[in-house]
Amino acid sequence: MRYINRLAAALTLGGCAFSSSTWAANGHYVPGVEGLDGPVVPPPGLYYRGYLVHYDIDSLRDGRGDALPGDNGGEVTALVNRFVWMTGKTFLGADYGLEAIIPIQDVSLRFDGVGVRDGDSGVGDIFLSPVVLGWHGERWDAVAAAGYWFDTGDFSADRPASIGKGFGSTMLTLGGSWHFDAERRWTLSALSRYEIHGKQDGTGITPGDSLVVEWGIGHRLASGLTLGLVGYDAWQLGADDGVAPGVPNDKAEQHAIGVEAGYFWPALGVGLNGAYYHEYDNRARPQGDLLRLTLTKAF
């Protein structure tokens, strides 16, 4: 009971692991949104990707991964709008581009076991990247990028469902895909995101750095339909700095496995993709299932 009371205080007073984007380990980036083709940068042109993501929370987990007592659930739904411009220029032998991400979120939390009920909706923190680099080989693709999550969403230290995180973050990206055959029908991919966080408004807390790795192995059928096994793993690498004595300061983790299916219509420049993930070992954060639908349009 003592631990639960301290956790409730952390939630109410702005504990980072449960504020804002409740589905991200302790940062801005939501694991599971890219999947199989995450490391593949498209050809020169302008692209839009719309991600409809729903995260269904079924429990709260302590620092050991055990479920906290009581009825602790909730939902987070978002439409994430991503704009990518591949300029046609090259840098370091790679195709060069830029991107922007604008999320619109709706959060509803019912953590009755720790005495928290809250909800919020609106435009979340915005991401801008001036550097997107993509390399391509006969049987491989690679990506590197750098950008910044701006503290633009509404945040309140006493609102666990705040859609803003209350801090900015630098995000570095590195990933690659390996195609087992010349026709690129079998693919193994991995995409990593590393976030370095700033100090949170109103609390003085600086979250520990975070790392997300999304992975997948997929097969494209003769019909053009792609099917795959996917997953994600996320770690908070360091404890939060500035947490008050007596407040839990465990490092958050997320681990999930799932399935993905997708199809692309070249003549229309349109792709549809869907994935379902089940989280099986989370720590110091909520745990649940994630459903993602993605629309890609090339202009």
Side-chain angles (χ1 to χ4, degrees):
M1 180 62 68
R2 182 180 178 187
Y3 181 88
I4 295 174
N5 290 338
R6 288 164 58 194
L7 178 56
L11 286 165
T12 306
L13 298 176
C16 296
F18 296 95
S19 63
S20 179
S21 299
T22 309
W23 44 24
N26 74 314
H28 289 83
Y29 182 75
V30 178
V33 297
E34 291 297 347
L36 287 170
D37 292 329
V40 181
V41 173
L46 180 64
Y47 300 85
Y48 168 78
R49 299 198 83 182
Y51 307 82
L52 182 61
V53 187
H54 179 77
Y55 183 52
D56 187 40
I57 301 167
D58 58 36
S59 63
L60 283 178
R61 301 283 165 160
D62 63 18
R64 299 181 301 274
D66 298 326
L68 296 181
D71 183 12
N72 300 304
E75 298 86 29
V76 184
T77 303
L79 174 61
V80 182
N81 302 282
R82 181 185 180 197
F83 303 90
V84 181
W85 177 36
M86 298 307 298
T87 63
K89 300 182 183 299
T90 60
F91 180 70
L92 298 177
D95 296 333
Y96 170 73
L98 310 92
E99 69 172 328
I101 299 174
I102 305 173
I104 302 172
Q105 302 171 212
D106 182 79
V107 182
S108 177
L109 305 180
R110 302 180 302 278
F111 299 157
D112 295 336
V114 292
V116 171
R117 282 204 169 216
D118 194 22
D120 198 8
S121 61
V123 179
D125 294 340
I126 293 174
F127 176 77
L128 296 177
S129 173
V131 180
V132 178
L133 301 176
W135 292 267
H136 308 282
E138 290 187 7
R139 293 196 180 184
W140 60 271
D141 296 280
V143 63
Y148 191 79
W149 289 98
F150 289 87
D151 179 16
T152 54
D154 289 337
F155 171 78
S156 176
D158 60 356
R159 295 288 307 277
S162 295
I163 57 171
K165 299 291 285 185
F167 57 86
S169 299
T170 298
M171 186 170 77
L172 307 176
T173 296
L174 184 65
S177 296
W178 175 256
H179 311 285
F180 294 95
D181 57 315
E183 293 77 19
R184 295 187 170 216
R185 292 191 180 277
W186 283 97
T187 300
L188 176 67
S189 66
L191 180 70
S192 65
R193 313 278 197 179
Y194 186 90
E195 288 189 58
I196 304 168
H197 308 301
K199 184 176 292 187
Q200 188 177 51
D201 297 337
T203 67
I205 295 172
T206 301
D209 293 355
S210 53
L211 173 67
V212 172
V213 177
E214 298 180 71
W215 56 266
I217 182 168
H219 178 58
R220 179 167 50 85
L221 305 177
S223 64
L225 178 67
T226 298
L227 302 174
L229 178 71
V230 291
Y232 59 77
D233 300 276
W235 300 269
Q236 179 181 347
L237 301 180
D240 298 338
D241 182 53
V243 175
V247 174
N249 196 12
D250 297 308
K251 292 183 286 187
E253 289 188 27
Q254 281 176 278
H255 303 280
I257 192 168
V259 292
E260 180 175 314
Y263 193 88
F264 187 75
W265 292 265
L268 300 176
V270 172
L272 290 176
N273 182 283
Y276 169 80
Y277 294 85
H278 172 69
E279 294 182 335
Y280 59 87
D281 184 18
N282 287 9
R283 300 177 184 227
R285 54 156 292 106
Q287 181 168 300
D289 298 309
L290 186 142
L291 177 65
R292 176 208 4 116
L293 300 175
T294 305
L295 169 68
T296 303
K297 172 60 181 173
F299 296 95

